[in-house]
Every structure is written in C-alpha cells, then in structure tokens.
Amino acid sequence: MSDRDNCYWLKNAHVPHSLLTSNIGIPSTSEQLCLVDLEIKKGKINQIIAATDNTDESDRIDLKKRIVLPCFVDLHTHLDKGHIWERARNQDGTFDTALTAAIADAETYWHPEDVYRRIEFGLKCSYAHGTKAIRTHIDAYGKQADISLEVFQTLQQQWTDKIILQAVSLVSLDYYQTPAGIVLADKIQKIGGILGGVAYENPALDSQLDTVFVLAKERNLDLDFHADENGDPNSICLQKIALAAIRHQFTGKILCGHCCSLAVQSEEVVRETLELVKQARIGIVSLPMCNLFLQDRQAVKTPYWRGVTRVRELQEQGIPVAFASDNCRDPFFGFGDHDVLEVFEQAVRIAHLDTPYRDWIDSVTKTPAQLMGLPHVGRLGVGLSADLIIFKGRYFSELLARSQGDRLVVRQGQQIDTTLPDYAELDDLVFARP
Ligand SMILES: [Zn+2]
C-alpha cells in the first residue's frame, strides 16, 4: 500500500455497517459487519461496493474478511500530564493522591521542553496506533496556561497533516469567577479552543456554571466539563450542568466526561438526569480505563465497582456516548498507550457492550468525531480521506481477543510506519532530579 501508485483495491474487508456514510444495500453479519471492496484513489476512498471478484488482479489486496476501521478519534485525553509516572507515582492509587502528585509535578517540572516532549511522545503513540483526531485537556492555572497552551499550539501546527488536535482549558470552575479566569477564556477564544473545567459539588456551583456559560456564549465557545468523577450518590453536577445549559439556552456543543456517580444513584435521579441531559443536547464521554483504576480504590479492600457511568442507559435515551483514553502513565492512570482499540476493548468488557455489539464501535469513531465537530472523520464513505486501520481480526471476538499490535495503518491512502516511540526517549525527563 505504501508504494502503490495512486490507485488500488482493498478486497473483502469487514467494515461496520454503522460507519458507512451511505446505505449501499450490503447485507451485514449478526455483528453488523459488511463484506466490501474499497477502491482507494489519490488518497481518498473512491468506491465502496459489495465484495466481488470483479477487479484486476494487479491492484488488489485480498484482506480475507479482516476488519477495516476508519482512524480513531480520542475525545478526552490529558496529553500534558502524560508519561510522568516514573517521577510522580501514585502511592495509594486514589484520586486525591493523583491530584496532589500531578500538581507537585507541574510545579517542579512543567517547563516548555518537558511539556512539549511528553505531548509529542503521546502523539507519536496515537499516530502509530491509528488515531486521527484528539481532544486534550490542558491544566491552565496561572502561568502554566501560557506555557502549556503555547506548546500545544506549536504541536498542533506541526502535526496538522497527521492528527487534528483540540485543546480544552482545565481549571476548577471557581477560577472563571476571577480576573485570571476571564483572561483564560479570552486566550481559549484566541487559540480556537474549548472552554472547560472541573465541576465540583459546592454551594456556589450554579453561580459558577452561570459564569462559565456566559463566558462561553460571549465568545462563541463550546464547553467540555469534567463532572462527577466519584462514587458519591449526592454528586449531581451533570444534572446541574444540564439545567444551566437549558437556563442559558446554550446552542454550542457541550461534552461531559466521567459522570461516574450516575452509576450509584437511584433510578429516579438517573431518569431525571438523563431527561435533562437529552434536553440540553449534552454528549457524554466515559473513560473506562482511568475510572476502573481510580474509582472504588480503598486501602486493603478489594474494589467491586467498575467506575463507568450508565453508558447503556444513556445510549438508550439517544444521548451520544463516546469512550476515550483519559490519562496515560501518570498519577491518575498508571498504564495506557494512547491506543483507542485498547479503550474500546476495555469498554466492551467493563460495560458488557458485546451483548450485542450493535453500533458501539461508533463510540470511538463516528460519535466522538461528531462531538468534536468533525463530520468527515471516523467514518467510511466515498470521497473521504483514506485514513484506515486494517486489523488481523475478522470478527469482533478476534479483534478484541488478541493484541492487534500488528495492525496496518493507512493515512491518505499510504501505509505508515507503526513503530512506537521508545520509552527511553523520555529518560532524561522522567528520571531527572530538579
Ligand atoms: Zn479527564
């Protein structure tokens, strides 16, 4: 695929029916996979037809039912925190310790080169694994906002042909009620970012939300909140965000991440919240790996709660649901490799998305692309860029059973080198002493 001239056929590919942009009348399997031939021409998908023997031998690659997906979309990440584990370990695995460790690490180490190289490392992993678009939260208190957002913009520019990058400001919502918060909102507008923050239950939450919605409306910004990342049934920030959106008749996009406490609330509260979330047109992103790591973590006790929000009920209600990486090798999550296939695999197992698979593959492709305002990403259609991942797995059970580290990644019709960056690249940073 790399040196082939501009035109070739990928024959007998299994593709999810839900990711095809037009209904081409091809029957699908019980897992909703269609057997198709794709013609790639000049970096784009030129044709998608039902699998047939009807093409010239010379320019065809028989995939023998291997699954082909559009490149992934990683909707919620923290690239600025990534890969600091070796110098900022989470000693007890709890959320509170993670927060303290990350703040201390930022104060000591987060100068421009440190932030640049760790974000770049994350991008190299994402690129090799087949991700096309990433939204990252950026810790944005005080001077760190200037440092990290400038680094972000540099990398956004440098990677523009490879990965579409979006930045969200990450502060607690009370910050927007200070002069520094207004400066931050202006900065986010200037760089074309998304206004974001962590909503915590507190007596001033409604007033903080009012401020944030007004700032976003004045600047025509979309919103992205961290909400209810805990197991406290009294934590109903998601509901309060929805009420604020309705109160302000907000027309921009709103995304809420985590929403873990929804899973431990009464059916009545859940029903009420879901109705409001639907009415407010809020999308939800669940972070299954990080939430499995942090939620229900208690000394000596075995965890029994999985940490994910009510993804199935949300989807039943017609609310867009996505899954994403969240943190990677930092105090909030000690593992990860920016591989969205791993995210999907974990989501399937944790939230039982295999009975049946339905169109859950949308949750790491089409749905997050829509929530990022990228209608041409995360789908398979004629005229779209040929940004594809070709797996060895032919069915979901094969795709999700064995590591697919040997996948082929095609970008604009060309096969890319999928070598992952070596951990040693960051040794001088992560093993450094201040
Ligand atoms: Zn997060």
Side-chain angles (χ1 to χ4, degrees), residues 225-260:
F225 296 98
H226 278 69
D228 302 319
E229 190 178 2
N230 57 62
D232 176 3
N234 297 315
S235 184
I236 54 163
C237 297
L238 175 60
Q239 191 177 114
K240 289 179 178 169
I241 292 167
L243 285 167
I246 295 163
R247 190 161 69 237
H248 288 271
Q249 300 178 309
F250 191 73
T251 55
K253 286 187 159 53
I254 308 171
L255 182 67
C256 287
H258 297 288
C259 312
C260 308

Side-chain angles (χ1 to χ4, degrees), residues 76-78 137 170 226 229 258 287 326-327:
H76 179 128
T77 67
H78 292 265
H137 296 261
L170 184 61
H226 278 69
E229 190 178 2
H258 297 288
L287 298 311
D326 209 11
N327 299 69

Side-chain angles (χ1 to χ4, degrees), residues 12-15 29 31 33-35 63-68 391-400 404:
N12 298 310
H14 255 160
V15 300
T29 66
E31 294 182 342
L33 296 168
C34 302
L35 196 62
L63 296 181
K64 298 178 179 169
K65 295 190 178 175
R66 289 178 178 194
I67 289 179
V68 172
F391 296 97
K392 284 266 176 76
R394 298 166 301 165
Y395 308 93
F396 278 114
S397 79
E398 293 178 357
L399 181 77
L400 304 177
Q404 303 286 313

